[in-house]
Amino acid sequence: MFDDKKTKYYLVGVITFSVLLTSLSFYFYQAFFSPNTLLEQEEAYLLKIPSNATFQTVSDSLYYAEAIQDVITFSFVAKVLGYQELVKPGLYTIQPRMNNLTLVRKLRSGDQTPVRITFNNVRTKEDLAEKITKNLEVQELDFYGLLTDSVYIRKFGFEEETIMSMFVPNTYEVWWNTSAENLFDRMYREYERFWTEERKQKANELGLSQLEVSTLASIVQAETKKADERPKVAGVYLNRLRINMPLQADPTLVFAVGDFSIKRVLNVHKEIESPYNTYKYLGLPPGPINLPEISALDAVLNYEDHNYLYFCAKDDFSGYHAFATNLNEHLNNARRYQNALNKAKIY
């Protein structure tokens, strides 16, 4: 009788253990391998994990964005795999119907999705700081602080007047959580990559430094939006530099005044005291007046060789310019344009 009871208890224990083991196995399987992300959605979710974020930050972000259905199993798998103590900041793409194992492994490995940054049509350092950090974690003011830190930028061989030359407008892929310093380093590497030996040689042949090419390119860019006309405009300014003639570039006066709403430069603007006043001072100004695009930089390096010394906007308002080799011809062109403005009542 006693042996029967022992056998009975033994069987109950075995059955209970088997049930528990089966339940635990099923739970583990479900926790690790069952889909748990974006179950009712088709599009991916971009998860931003800030620097110094905790695991609670991550789980809360996923839960409140309804990117995961079961936060408990996610937390369990994260604990088992040691992710709760190894949170890595960045931008992560969470695909629909991912299981917890795949998700945690992705986050734990730091398998980030790069961010594309594009900056163009930049006039000032403030513009640059705003546009370059727009889709990044780094704050605009932090990056602007580096742009205006004379000691910091000298490490890269630039001064406050020339630092804008270091940034070559394009589209780049970077990590969302890159620091201001790392972003600065990256832009310097891109600057060095842009300045190939061929481009350096062409600058040499012009008698210009890389910084001077950027400065002249910024003037050319401000003068015409037509990329196919830029080599011709560059040729005009290079001709003036060769004969020691003032550049007399209106965009440099606009920059000196600091009022980019100015549409027509007047005689009063030509009297402003500034090293950027190319009516008063010979040669190039101290630095670029905007962020020159690649087309403008290459327009200077591959300028059109001609005898023109003057140009003004065409009277057809096409955006192109009429070029002249002498002052009388230029004044006639300017008069035609002025008459067109008056006729169109544009003041």
Side-chain angles (χ1 to χ4, degrees):
M1 184 72 175
F2 181 73
D3 288 340
D4 288 343
K5 283 186 176 181
K6 284 181 63 177
T7 301
K8 184 178 180 181
Y9 289 144
Y10 175 76
L11 289 173
V12 170
V14 170
I15 292 170
T16 302
F17 177 76
S18 297
V19 171
L20 287 173
L21 184 60
T22 301
S23 298
L24 284 173
S25 297
F26 180 74
Y27 178 79
F28 267 78
Y29 180 85
Q30 289 286 95
F32 276 80
F33 300 107
S34 292
N36 192 34
T37 66
L38 304 167
L39 298 184
E40 307 300 326
Q41 300 182 40
E42 298 297 326
E43 294 184 359
Y45 170 69
L46 291 177
L47 171 66
K48 293 178 180 178
I49 303 179
S51 299
N52 303 316
T54 63
F55 175 73
Q56 190 65 50
T57 306
V58 176
S59 60
D60 286 348
S61 297
L62 289 169
Y63 179 72
Y64 290 116
E66 298 183 348
I68 58 174
Q69 184 179 43
D70 189 343
V71 72
I72 295 176
T73 57
F74 170 70
S75 299
F76 172 71
V77 173
K79 184 66 175 177
V80 172
L81 297 183
Y83 172 63
Q84 293 191 7
E85 292 76 35
L86 290 173
V87 173
K88 295 179 180 178
L91 179 71
Y92 298 87
T93 300
I94 311 302
Q95 298 291 351
R97 302 189 67 78
M98 291 175 73
N99 59 48
N100 288 323
L101 178 61
T102 303
L103 175 58
V104 172
R105 281 178 171 172
K106 181 182 186 70
L107 299 178
R108 189 182 64 174
S109 68
D111 182 17
Q112 290 193 57
T113 298
V115 174
R116 287 189 171 188
I117 57 172
T118 301
F119 51 93
N120 47 31
N121 297 321
V122 173
R123 280 178 168 154
T124 65
K125 294 174 184 176
E126 290 87 351
D127 288 343
L128 176 59
E130 177 187 358
K131 291 183 177 181
I132 203 171
T133 63
K134 184 177 180 180
N135 296 319
L136 302 178
E137 180 187 32
V138 62
Q139 296 297 304
E140 176 185 334
L141 285 178
D142 291 338
F143 194 79
Y144 180 75
L146 295 184
L147 275 175
T148 54
D149 186 335
S150 58
V151 176
Y152 182 79
I153 60 181
R154 284 190 190 116
K155 294 194 312 181
F156 300 90
F158 295 88
E159 300 293 335
E160 290 182 71
E161 297 81 8
T162 59
I163 186 58
M164 293 283 275
S165 302
M166 194 186 88
F167 297 86
V168 181
N170 212 333
T171 297
Y172 303 99
E173 285 193 344
V174 301
W175 300 126
W176 173 76
N177 63 312
T178 190
S179 67
E181 291 80 7
N182 286 341
L183 183 57
F184 221 91
D185 291 341
R186 170 67 184 281
M187 291 300 101
Y188 180 66
R189 291 196 299 273
E190 295 296 340
Y191 169 81
E192 289 193 308
R193 186 175 291 116
F194 172 81
W195 280 101
T196 61
E197 288 305 316
E198 180 184 4
R199 284 190 170 109
K200 288 178 182 177
Q201 180 60 34
K202 287 180 177 180
N204 236 6
E205 290 169 0
L206 291 174
L208 300 177
S209 68
Q210 293 169 207
L211 298 181
E212 289 172 328
V213 169
S214 293
T215 299
L216 181 52
S218 72
I219 296 174
V220 170
Q221 178 170 292
E223 289 284 17
T224 179
K225 294 180 179 179
K226 306 294 185 181
D228 59 337
E229 190 184 50
R230 285 173 176 172
K232 197 170 188 176
V233 173
V236 171
Y237 284 122
L238 286 168
N239 286 343
R240 289 186 178 186
L241 287 172
R242 289 190 187 106
I243 63 174
N244 216 27
M245 175 182 175
L247 294 184
Q248 296 183 332
D250 288 355
T252 64
L253 295 183
V254 174
F255 182 84
V257 174
D259 181 0
F260 297 106
S261 67
I262 295 174
K263 301 299 180 184
R264 297 175 69 177
V265 171
L266 307 174
N267 286 331
V268 66
H269 297 132
K270 297 175 184 178
E271 298 304 316
I272 188 171
E273 182 51 48
S274 168
Y276 290 89
N277 186 341
T278 54
Y279 279 81
K280 272 193 172 185
Y281 297 101
L282 290 173
L284 292 164
I289 60 172
N290 56 48
L291 205 62
E293 299 167 1
I294 291 176
S295 66
L297 292 163
D298 282 339
V300 173
L301 296 174
N302 302 284
Y303 71 99
E304 186 177 317
D305 190 9
H306 52 62
N307 296 321
Y308 296 125
L309 287 173
Y310 304 92
F311 64 96
C312 75
K314 281 189 172 182
D315 58 359
D316 59 2
F317 303 122
S318 63
Y320 284 95
H321 293 78
F323 293 80
T325 59
N326 59 75
L327 184 57
N328 284 335
E329 185 182 358
H330 171 63
L331 291 175
N332 288 333
N333 290 335
R335 192 175 299 110
R336 279 193 289 271
Y337 179 64
Q338 185 63 50
N339 290 337
L341 286 176
N342 293 335
K343 186 176 181 180
K345 296 183 179 180
I346 300 175
Y347 302 104

